[in-house]
Amino acid sequence: MAEKKVVKIKGKKRMPKSNKAYISELKNNVGRQVSLFGWLYQARSSGKIQFLIIRDGTGLCQCIVEKGEVADEVFEELKHLGQESSLSVTGTVRADERSIGSYELAVTGAKIIHSTADYPITPKSHGIDFLLKHRHLHLRSQRQWCIGRIRHTLIDAVRRFFNDNGFILIDTPIFTATAGEEEQTLFEVDYFGENLHLAQTGQLYLESAAASFGRVYCFGPTFRAERSKTRRHLSEFWMVEPEVAFIDLDGLLELAESFVCFIVAEVLQRNKNELERLGADISALEKIQPPFYRLSYTEAAQILTGQRTKDFLAKELKELQDLKEQAEGKISELEEKQQGKLKQWQKDKIAAELIELCSELAEINARIENNPKHARLAAEFQWGKDLGGSDETIISQMHDKPVFVTHYPKRAKAFYMKTDRDNEDVVLNFDLLAPAGFGEIIGGSVREDDYDKLVKRINEQGLRLENYEWYLDLRKYGSVPHGGFGLGIERTVAWLTGERHIRQCIAFPRMMDRVYI
Ligand code: 4AD
Ligand code: MG
C-alpha cells in the first residue's frame, strides 16, 4: 500500500488522508501512516499514555495513545471506552519485538464508531455454560479465533489434497432413505409425508459415484442422533469422505496416512502462531510422518487386557496425582497474592489465571476419578466388542503417532464392510486413532462387493432391503473391490489444537443437550 501525500489546501497543512490497513499487513507498512478498523480488545492507561489493544479480525495490535498527540477530547473519550467498542485508529506503524504481533501503532487520531459498555465476556474467565450461551460473542475471543483459523486451514488443505490427487468432488444428499451407520443414531424427518432421515454419511452414494469417476470425495455436514454427551460427540459435524475404486486395505491405509501427514504439515506451516497461542504441542505434531503405527483389533484387545495397560494406567495415576498437587500449590499461591494491594489489571490477570488453573484442576480430578474405571473396562475387555472411548484413549495415549487399528470383529461393525476372506469373523476395516489420548479421527473400510454376502448382511442387520436396491445394483453391474474412509473435522481440529472438547472446534456446536444459538 502506498503512502498518501500530505494534502495542502490553501497553504494550510492538513492531516494526511490515511490508508486503511489490516493488522496482518502492518509488517509491510512500517513508518507509514495507516488507519485500522476494529474493536477494542483490551485497554490499559497510565495517566498520560494509553495502551489500547485493537483486534480487526486479522490480528491484534497495540495502539499507543499519548496525551498531546491526539485531540484532548479524543484522549478522554478513549480513556472511557468499553471493551468491544468499535473504532478506527490512525497512526504511524512501528516495529517493536515486545509488542503483541511485533508491530504497534503510534496513534495520531481515532474515531469511535460504536461505544459499548458492559460487554458480558470480560478478561476474567467464565464457566463453559456461560460461554456457550454467549457463543455469538465468544467467537471474538482469542481462543475461538485461533481455533477458527486452524479449522479454516484444515478444510482448505483437505480440499486441496483431494483436488490435487485426482479426486472428483461429489455432493451427496442430506435427505436419505438409507442408513449408512447405526440405525439408533438417525434423525428422522417428515419429507412430504414420507419418513426420511438426515445423512449420517455420504458413503453409499459415493460408492455409486466411484464406479463413474474412479476416485471421488464428498465433504459436508453429517448428522447423528448420538445419545451421548461425551467430549467426542456432536449431533452435527463435518466429515470428508474419499472413496476409491480398485483399492485394498493396504492402499486405504497409505492414502489415509499421506492425507493426514499433508493436512498436519499445512496447519504447521500456516498456523504456527495460532498453535503456539493455544498451547498446542507443536513438536508432537512435527513428528507426524509416515509410517503410522499399525495394530490389528486382536492385538489392541490383547494390549488392553494385558500387563502393559495395567502398568501404563498406574503410571498415569501417579503423574496425575503429582499434577494435582502442583496445580493446588499454584492456586493457593495466587489466592494469597490476590489478598495484597494490587492494581485492577493485576487483579484481573490473577482472576483469569485462577479460573484457568481451577478448570485444569477439575480436569485432572476427573481423570483421576476415571482412571480406575478405565482400568476396569480395559481389563474386562472382551473380543467382539467395539473399542469404547476409554479403550481408544488408552491405546492412543500409548503412542506418539497415529495408530491404525484394523480387522475389527464383523459383529461390531457396519453392514457394508467386506469380510476378510481368510477369517470371516473380521472385516477389512480400520479406525485411525490420533495420538496422546485424542482417539478416533477416521473410520474406513473396504466395502462388501459380493451381491449375495451383502444381501445377507443387510437382512441380518434388520435393514429394509428395498431401500438398498440401488446400492445392491452396484454389486450387480461391474462390481469391483473398492473402499474409503471418513475423517471428522471437529475431532481433527481438537487433536491439532489440543482442545479437549470438540464442541469448541465448530463455530456453533450442536449437542444432544443443547442448541443455544
Ligand atoms: O466411523 P464413522 O462412523 O464412519 C463413517 O461414517 C463411514 N461411513 C466413513 C466412510 O467410510 N466413508 O465416522 C467417521 C468419522 C469418525 O472417525 C469421527 O472422526 C467422525 O467421523 N465422527 C464424529 N465426529 C463428531 N461427532 C460425532 N458424533 C461423530 N461420529 C463420527
Ligand atoms: Mg467410527
Side-chain angles (χ1 to χ4, degrees):
M1 190 180 295
E3 191 183 5
K4 289 205 178 139
K5 283 200 187 119
V6 172
V7 193
K8 268 190 172 178
I9 300 175
K10 288 188 188 157
K12 271 193 181 168
K13 196 175 169 197
R14 285 264 183 113
M15 275 289 294
K17 206 166 178 292
S18 62
N19 293 316
K20 180 177 175 185
Y22 285 104
I23 291 172
S24 59
E25 301 165 344
L26 292 184
K27 57 179 178 295
N28 305 323
N29 284 289
V30 176
R32 292 194 183 139
Q33 177 97 351
V34 299
S35 292
L36 300 177
F37 290 76
W39 295 263
L40 181 63
Y41 178 67
Q42 255 173 40
R44 187 157 63 81
S45 162
S46 63
K48 294 198 165 128
I49 184 159
Q50 295 178 49
F51 301 93
L52 310 179
I53 297 183
I54 308 261
R55 49 167 207 90
D56 75 344
T58 72
L60 294 177
C61 175
Q62 174 158 270
C63 301
I64 297 166
V65 194
E66 282 187 65
K67 207 170 163 78
E69 294 293 322
V70 294
D72 283 352
E73 61 278 14
V74 172
F75 191 85
E76 276 313 301
E77 239 184 322
L78 288 174
K79 215 165 168 183
H80 302 290
L81 204 59
Q83 186 191 343
E84 288 302 316
S85 293
S86 50
L87 72 166
S88 69
V89 284
T90 301
T92 311
V93 182
R94 292 198 298 232
D96 189 335
E97 276 291 290
R98 295 160 308 170
S99 197
I100 197 161
S102 305
Y103 299 91
E104 56 184 30
L105 201 71
V107 177
T108 52
K111 195 163 167 264
I112 284 128
I113 298 167
H114 183 234
S115 171
T116 298
D118 304 327
Y119 183 67
I121 306 176
T122 62
K124 292 179 230 166
S125 295
H126 300 270
I128 185 67
D129 277 329
F130 179 88
L131 293 178
L132 282 169
K133 272 192 196 133
H134 291 82
R135 187 61 154 227
H136 53 299
L137 301 176
H138 188 226
L139 273 191
R140 305 180 191 189
S141 75
Q142 280 303 291
R143 230 186 138 73
Q144 282 300 315
W145 183 82
C146 289
I147 293 173
R149 287 170 66 90
I150 290 170
R151 182 183 168 111
H152 169 82
T153 301
L154 173 69
I155 289 178
D156 184 44
V158 160
R159 293 191 202 282
R160 241 165 355 104
F161 179 86
F162 290 116
N163 292 342
D164 292 350
N165 283 288
F167 285 72
I168 297 293
L169 174 72
I170 303 294
D171 295 316
T172 53
I174 285 177
F175 291 123
T176 63
T178 49
E181 302 299 320
E182 308 98 281
E183 282 213 277
Q184 311 86 276
T185 67
L186 289 172
F187 275 112
E188 301 210 333
V189 280
D190 178 344
Y191 188 80
F192 305 111
E194 201 185 331
N195 200 5
L196 292 187
H197 33 257
L198 302 180
Q200 297 167 306
T201 167
Q203 178 201 317
L204 306 195
Y205 298 97
L206 278 187
E207 288 184 52
S208 151
S212 172
F213 300 94
R215 282 169 294 174
V216 290
Y217 75 102
C218 66
F219 191 9
T222 36
F223 306 87
R224 307 249 172 124
E226 300 272 10
R227 302 221 153 262
S228 67
K229 298 181 191 165
T230 76
R231 65 190 171 96
R232 291 183 176 137
H233 289 97
L234 293 171
S235 0
E236 179 178 318
F237 63 96
W238 282 67
M239 177 158 59
V240 57
E241 299 179 85
E243 189 74 25
V244 181
F246 304 104
I247 198 165
D248 59 10
L249 186 58
D250 282 338
L252 280 177
L253 300 193
E254 265 171 48
L255 177 66
E257 196 173 68
S258 53
F259 169 55
V260 170
C261 290
F262 178 79
I263 57 182
V264 173
E266 284 291 301
V267 169
L268 276 172
Q269 196 201 324
R270 289 161 59 184
N271 297 100
K272 256 250 172 78
N273 181 24
E274 288 83 354
L275 289 169
E276 266 165 17
R277 281 162 68 181
L278 290 170
D281 191 343
I282 293 179
S283 62
L285 294 177
E286 283 166 347
K287 280 202 207 116
I288 308 303
Q289 303 285 345
F292 294 171
Y293 298 103
R294 286 161 163 76
L295 285 179
S296 71
Y297 164 92
T298 303
E299 286 166 328
Q302 280 161 357
I303 292 176
L304 286 170
T305 51
Q307 191 60 36
R308 189 170 156 200
T309 293
K310 284 198 190 79
D311 294 346
F312 179 82
L313 288 174
K315 185 163 161 261
E316 188 200 36
L317 188 59
K318 171 94 195 31
E319 284 165 3
L320 286 169
Q321 275 154 350
D322 290 347
L323 285 175
K324 178 181 163 132
E325 232 170 80
Q326 283 170 24
E328 283 171 344
K330 272 194 226 155
I331 289 174
S332 37
E333 216 175 274
L334 284 174
E335 279 171 346
E336 212 168 289
K337 222 168 154 188
Q338 229 176 8
Q339 306 306 320
K341 209 165 170 284
L342 296 169
K343 297 220 166 81
Q344 189 56 43
W345 69 268
Q346 290 171 314
K347 278 191 203 157
D348 287 351
K349 192 162 170 259
I350 292 182
E353 274 171 20
L354 270 174
I355 295 201
E356 196 73 14
L357 274 170
C358 288
S359 87
E360 254 171 52
L361 183 62
E363 169 84 34
I364 295 168
N365 281 332
R367 288 180 64 195
I368 290 177
E369 202 180 305
N370 280 331
N371 179 286
K373 233 186 295 172
H374 291 174
R376 201 189 60 243
L377 284 172
E380 288 170 0
F381 188 85
Q382 282 180 350
W383 197 99
K385 282 195 324 181
D386 203 353
L387 293 184
S390 64
D391 306 318
E392 282 179 4
T393 306
I394 294 168
I395 300 280
S396 107
Q397 273 176 332
M398 286 177 177
H399 293 86
D400 57 354
K401 282 207 276 184
V403 191
F404 286 117
V405 183
T406 64
H407 300 88
Y408 281 59
K410 176 171 87 173
R411 65 182 125 124
K413 287 291 174 186
F415 71 94
Y416 55 73
M417 294 189 182
K418 182 170 180 168
T419 51
D420 182 348
R421 301 304 197 241
D422 296 329
N423 173 7
E424 293 272 351
D425 289 337
V426 301
V427 284
L428 299 174
N429 81 313
F430 72 94
D431 277 355
L432 181 68
L433 311 185
F438 282 96
E440 179 192 335
I441 55 168
I442 294 186
S445 73
V446 178
R447 321 304 187 189
E448 185 53 75
D449 49 32
D450 179 86
Y451 182 89
D452 295 328
K453 282 185 194 285
L454 189 56
V455 169
K456 197 158 164 264
R457 293 291 297 281
I458 291 172
N459 284 330
E460 274 167 8
Q461 304 232 350
L463 298 169
R464 289 170 60 181
L465 205 57
E466 69 258 33
N467 285 341
Y468 295 88
E469 267 164 16
W470 66 268
Y471 185 64
L472 284 161
D473 268 357
L474 307 176
R475 279 74 181 164
K476 272 195 207 159
Y477 306 110
S479 187
V480 300
H482 66 286
F485 59 80
L487 170 128
I489 291 296
E490 293 74 18
R491 288 199 193 171
T492 307
V493 173
W495 166 45
L496 298 175
T497 57
E499 188 62 56
R500 240 182 89 72
H501 206 301
I502 67 169
R503 67 184 165 210
Q504 302 297 42
C505 300
I506 183 165
F508 300 101
R510 267 79 186 101
M511 289 160 284
M512 179 186 160
D513 53 348
R514 63 178 125 208
V515 177
Y516 285 136
I517 292 164

